[in-house]
Coordinates of all heavy atoms in Angstrom, one line a residue:
F1 N 20.9 34.8 -69.1 CA 21.4 35.0 -67.7 C 20.6 36.0 -66.9 O 20.3 35.7 -65.8 CB 22.9 35.4 -67.8 CG 23.7 35.2 -66.5 CD1 24.6 34.2 -66.4 CD2 23.5 36.1 -65.5 CE1 25.3 34.0 -65.2 CE2 24.2 36.0 -64.3 CZ 25.1 34.9 -64.1
A2 N 20.3 37.1 -67.6 CA 19.6 38.2 -66.9 C 18.2 37.7 -66.5 O 17.7 38.0 -65.4 CB 19.6 39.5 -67.7
D3 N 17.5 37.1 -67.5 CA 16.1 36.6 -67.2 C 16.1 35.6 -66.1 O 15.3 35.7 -65.2 CB 15.5 36.0 -68.5 CG 15.3 37.0 -69.6 OD1 15.3 38.2 -69.3 OD2 15.0 36.6 -70.7
D4 N 17.0 34.6 -66.1 CA 17.0 33.6 -65.1 C 17.4 34.1 -63.8 O 16.9 33.7 -62.7 CB 18.0 32.5 -65.5 CG 17.5 31.6 -66.7 OD1 16.3 31.8 -67.0 OD2 18.3 30.9 -67.3
Y5 N 18.3 35.1 -63.7 CA 18.8 35.7 -62.5 C 17.6 36.4 -61.8 O 17.4 36.3 -60.6 CB 19.9 36.7 -62.7 CG 20.7 36.9 -61.4 CD1 21.9 36.3 -61.2 CD2 20.3 37.8 -60.5 CE1 22.6 36.5 -60.0 CE2 21.0 38.0 -59.3 CZ 22.2 37.4 -59.1 OH 22.9 37.6 -57.9
F6 N 16.8 37.1 -62.6 CA 15.6 37.8 -62.1 C 14.6 36.7 -61.6 O 14.1 36.9 -60.4 CB 15.0 38.6 -63.2 CG 13.9 39.5 -62.7 CD1 14.1 40.8 -62.5 CD2 12.6 39.0 -62.5 CE1 13.1 41.7 -62.0 CE2 11.6 39.8 -62.1 CZ 11.8 41.1 -61.8
D7 N 14.3 35.7 -62.4 CA 13.2 34.8 -62.1 C 13.6 33.9 -60.8 O 12.7 33.6 -60.0 CB 12.9 33.9 -63.3 CG 12.4 34.6 -64.4 OD1 11.9 35.8 -64.2 OD2 12.4 34.1 -65.6
Y8 N 14.8 33.4 -60.8 CA 15.1 32.4 -59.8 C 15.7 33.0 -58.5 O 16.1 32.2 -57.6 CB 16.1 31.4 -60.4 CG 15.5 30.6 -61.5 CD1 16.1 30.6 -62.8 CD2 14.3 29.8 -61.3 CE1 15.5 29.9 -63.8 CE2 13.8 29.1 -62.4 CZ 14.3 29.2 -63.6 OH 13.8 28.5 -64.7
N9 N 15.7 34.3 -58.4 CA 16.2 35.0 -57.1 C 15.2 35.8 -56.5 O 15.5 36.6 -55.6 CB 17.5 35.8 -57.4 CG 18.7 35.0 -57.6 OD1 19.3 34.5 -56.7 ND2 19.1 34.8 -58.9
G10 N 13.9 35.6 -56.9 CA 12.8 36.2 -56.1 C 12.6 37.6 -56.4 O 12.0 38.3 -55.5
Y11 N 13.0 38.2 -57.5 CA 12.8 39.6 -57.8 C 11.4 39.8 -58.3 O 10.7 38.9 -58.8 CB 13.8 40.1 -58.8 CG 15.2 40.2 -58.3 CD1 16.2 39.3 -58.8 CD2 15.6 41.0 -57.3 CE1 17.5 39.4 -58.4 CE2 16.9 41.1 -56.8 CZ 17.8 40.3 -57.4 OH 19.1 40.3 -56.9
G12 N 11.0 41.1 -58.3 CA 9.7 41.4 -58.8 C 8.6 41.7 -57.7 O 8.6 40.9 -56.7
Q13 N 7.8 42.7 -57.9 CA 6.8 43.0 -56.9 C 5.4 42.7 -57.4 O 5.2 42.9 -58.6 CB 6.9 44.5 -56.5 CG 8.2 44.9 -55.8 CD 8.1 46.3 -55.2 OE1 7.1 46.8 -54.8 NE2 9.3 47.0 -55.2
G14 N 4.5 42.3 -56.5 CA 3.2 42.0 -56.9 C 3.0 40.7 -57.7 O 4.0 39.9 -57.9
K15 N 1.8 40.4 -58.1 CA 1.5 39.1 -58.7 C 2.2 39.0 -60.1 O 2.4 37.9 -60.6 CB 0.0 38.9 -58.8 CG -0.7 39.9 -59.7 CD -2.2 39.6 -59.7 CE -2.9 40.7 -60.6 NZ -4.4 40.4 -60.7
N16 N 2.5 40.1 -60.7 CA 3.1 40.1 -62.1 C 4.6 40.2 -62.0 O 5.3 40.4 -63.0 CB 2.5 41.2 -62.9 CG 1.1 41.0 -63.2 OD1 0.6 39.9 -63.5 ND2 0.3 42.1 -63.2
H17 N 5.2 40.3 -60.8 CA 6.6 40.3 -60.6 C 7.2 41.6 -61.3 O 8.2 41.5 -62.1 CB 7.3 39.1 -61.1 CG 6.7 37.8 -60.6 ND1 7.0 37.3 -59.4 CD2 5.8 36.9 -61.2 CE1 6.3 36.2 -59.2 NE2 5.6 35.9 -60.2
D18 N 6.7 42.7 -61.0 CA 7.1 44.0 -61.7 C 8.5 44.3 -61.3 O 8.9 44.4 -60.1 CB 6.2 45.1 -61.2 CG 4.7 44.9 -61.5 OD1 4.4 44.1 -62.5 OD2 3.9 45.5 -60.8
G19 N 9.4 44.5 -62.4 CA 10.7 44.8 -62.1 C 11.6 45.0 -63.4 O 11.1 44.7 -64.5
V20 N 12.8 45.5 -63.1 CA 13.8 45.7 -64.2 C 15.1 45.4 -63.7 O 15.5 45.9 -62.5 CB 13.7 47.2 -64.8 CG1 13.8 48.2 -63.7 CG2 14.7 47.4 -65.9
L21 N 16.0 44.7 -64.4 CA 17.3 44.3 -63.9 C 18.3 44.6 -64.9 O 18.2 44.3 -66.1 CB 17.3 42.8 -63.6 CG 18.6 42.2 -63.1 CD1 18.3 41.0 -62.1 CD2 19.5 41.7 -64.2
F22 N 19.4 45.3 -64.5 CA 20.5 45.7 -65.3 C 21.7 44.8 -65.0 O 22.2 44.8 -63.9 CB 20.8 47.2 -65.1 CG 22.0 47.7 -65.9 CD1 22.4 47.1 -67.1 CD2 22.7 48.9 -65.5 CE1 23.4 47.7 -67.8 CE2 23.7 49.4 -66.2 CZ 24.0 48.8 -67.4
L23 N 22.1 44.0 -66.0 CA 23.2 43.0 -65.8 C 24.4 43.4 -66.6 O 24.3 43.8 -67.8 CB 22.8 41.6 -66.2 CG 23.9 40.6 -66.4 CD1 24.4 40.1 -65.0 CD2 23.4 39.4 -67.3
I24 N 25.6 43.3 -66.1 CA 26.8 43.5 -66.9 C 27.8 42.3 -66.5 O 27.9 41.9 -65.3 CB 27.6 44.8 -66.7 CG1 28.2 44.9 -65.4 CG2 26.6 46.0 -67.0 CD1 29.2 46.1 -65.3
S25 N 28.4 41.8 -67.5 CA 29.4 40.7 -67.3 C 30.8 41.1 -67.8 O 30.9 41.6 -69.0 CB 29.0 39.4 -68.1 OG 29.9 38.4 -67.9
M26 N 31.8 41.1 -67.0 CA 33.1 41.6 -67.3 C 33.8 40.7 -68.3 O 34.6 41.3 -69.2 CB 33.9 41.8 -66.0 CG 33.3 42.8 -65.1 SD 32.9 44.4 -65.9 CE 34.5 45.0 -66.2
A27 N 33.7 39.4 -68.2 CA 34.5 38.5 -69.1 C 34.1 38.7 -70.5 O 35.0 38.8 -71.4 CB 34.4 37.1 -68.7
E28 N 32.8 38.8 -70.8 CA 32.3 38.9 -72.2 C 32.1 40.4 -72.6 O 31.9 40.7 -73.8 CB 31.0 38.2 -72.3 CG 31.1 36.7 -72.1 CD 31.1 36.3 -70.7 OE1 30.9 37.2 -69.8 OE2 31.1 35.1 -70.4
R29 N 32.2 41.3 -71.6 CA 32.0 42.7 -71.9 C 30.6 42.9 -72.5 O 30.4 43.7 -73.4 CB 33.0 43.3 -72.8 CG 34.5 43.2 -72.4 CD 34.8 44.1 -71.2 NE 34.8 45.5 -71.5 CZ 35.0 46.4 -70.6 NH1 35.3 46.1 -69.3 NH2 35.0 47.7 -70.9
K30 N 29.6 42.3 -71.8 CA 28.2 42.3 -72.3 C 27.3 43.0 -71.2 O 27.6 42.8 -70.0 CB 27.7 40.9 -72.6 CG 28.3 40.2 -73.8 CD 27.9 40.8 -75.1 CE 28.4 40.0 -76.3 NZ 27.9 40.5 -77.6
W31 N 26.3 43.6 -71.7 CA 25.3 44.2 -70.8 C 23.9 43.8 -71.3 O 23.7 43.6 -72.5 CB 25.4 45.7 -70.6 CG 25.0 46.4 -71.9 CD1 25.9 46.8 -72.9 CD2 23.8 46.9 -72.3 NE1 25.2 47.4 -73.9 CE2 23.9 47.5 -73.6 CE3 22.5 46.8 -71.8 CZ2 22.8 48.1 -74.3 CZ3 21.4 47.4 -72.4 CH2 21.6 48.0 -73.7
H32 N 23.0 43.7 -70.3 CA 21.6 43.4 -70.7 C 20.6 43.9 -69.7 O 20.9 43.8 -68.5 CB 21.3 41.9 -70.9 CG 20.0 41.5 -71.6 ND1 19.9 41.5 -73.0 CD2 18.8 41.3 -71.1 CE1 18.7 41.2 -73.3 NE2 18.0 41.1 -72.2
I33 N 19.5 44.5 -70.1 CA 18.4 44.9 -69.3 C 17.2 44.0 -69.5 O 16.8 43.8 -70.6 CB 18.0 46.3 -69.6 CG1 19.2 47.3 -69.2 CG2 16.8 46.7 -68.8 CD1 18.9 48.7 -69.5

């Protein structure tokens, strides 16, 4: 979910798409960077 959200919403700077995304989901009580 975190990887796809980053990739398909245009995040990342430069040609290598530099970035870091912190995701939390309340239903599953899960987090991912």
Side-chain angles (χ1 to χ4, degrees):
F1 195 104
D3 292 347
D4 289 347
Y5 201 98
F6 188 99
D7 294 345
Y8 297 120
N9 284 282
Y11 292 113
Q13 297 189 33
K15 62 180 181 180
N16 294 321
H17 309 281
D18 303 334
V20 53
L21 182 147
F22 181 21
L23 166 78
I24 72 166
S25 176
M26 297 307 295
E28 296 84 0
R29 304 290 293 180
K30 294 285 187 181
W31 66 270
H32 193 85
I33 293 178

